[in-house]
Amino acid sequence: MSEAAPVQTEKAFQKQEGIKILKSRKNAGKKSTKTRRVRYWRNIGLGYKTPKAAIEGNYIDKKCPFTGDVNIRGRILRGVVVSNKMKRTIVIRRDYLHYVRKYNRFEKRHKNLPAHLSPAFIGVKEGDIVTVGQCRPLSKTVRFNVVSHESMPESGAGAKVFRMF
């Protein structure tokens, strides 16, 4: 397989929309000295930089906000990664305080939120802090996409520790 071809790991042939993979008939007999790899990527805006892996990588992900067909709109949230056992999906935990008027105190609460993890973010593990952006529904439960990743040092506490952002 040539260097320009994307890695095919799925049963169906994976390609980016709008990018032609086949060579044209005019250039079929000619040998080119330079081969430019054609890859579609974009800046999602909102102050988030496109990861280098999205620009230079060769993965295909139609649900990736940088190389796929998904727009980030709506809410931007932060949370701690609780689970990354699913394929290209993580579960993040969002902690918050709920006020109880009767006792004039706050109680700790949390919500788990599934989010799509693009292959552009390599090395996301439990305990890391990620920023997710709302998008169209990607599956039955997934409505958010990871837009940035902050790795936590090894000395950090576990994923279920209550953390405010």
Side-chain angles (χ1 to χ4, degrees):
M1 206 181 255
S2 69
E3 185 181 318
V7 178
Q8 298 292 329
T9 58
E10 306 292 329
K11 289 182 180 177
F13 182 73
Q14 302 291 305
K15 72 180 193 75
Q16 285 186 314
E17 289 296 320
I19 303 293
K20 294 186 179 180
I21 296 176
L22 300 175
K23 295 178 183 176
S24 65
R25 288 188 138 188
K26 277 193 271 183
N27 299 334
K30 299 177 185 176
K31 290 191 176 186
S32 61
T33 55
K34 293 182 182 177
T35 56
R36 195 179 112 238
R37 190 168 81 194
V38 179
R39 180 164 176 81
Y40 171 76
W41 62 273
R42 66 176 171 184
N43 182 3
I44 62 167
L46 305 169
Y48 295 101
K49 296 179 93 177
T50 305
K52 225 172 196 165
I55 299 169
E56 300 170 357
N58 60 355
Y59 69 88
I60 303 292
D61 185 13
K62 65 180 182 179
K63 296 177 182 178
C64 174
F66 306 104
T67 62
D69 190 25
V70 176
N71 294 326
I72 301 297
R73 79 286 192 280
R75 296 183 180 267
I76 305 290
L77 307 172
R78 295 181 70 194
V80 180
V81 178
V82 176
S83 168
N84 59 356
K85 296 175 185 174
M86 293 177 276
K87 183 177 180 181
R88 293 186 181 175
T89 304
I90 60 172
V91 177
I92 65 170
R93 177 184 171 110
R94 300 198 63 241
D95 297 318
Y96 60 96
L97 296 174
H98 177 254
Y99 181 68
V100 181
R101 231 172 59 201
K102 179 179 177 182
Y103 300 111
N104 197 22
R105 298 219 184 340
F106 290 93
E107 64 182 2
K108 296 175 185 176
R109 290 189 178 181
H110 80 275
K111 294 278 186 198
N112 284 342
L113 182 81
H116 180 75
L117 180 67
S118 169
F121 298 104
I122 299 169
V124 174
K125 55 188 181 302
E126 292 181 14
D128 291 355
I129 295 175
V130 294
T131 305
V132 295
Q134 190 178 8
C135 60
R136 64 176 171 82
L138 301 176
S139 70
K140 181 182 174 184
T141 56
V142 178
R143 274 106 175 97
F144 287 87
N145 228 315
V146 175
V147 293
S148 72
H149 164 241
E150 302 169 22
S151 59
M152 291 300 291
E154 294 298 323
S155 62
K160 282 202 166 182
V161 175
F162 190 85
R163 291 188 216 165
M164 294 291 292
F165 298 105

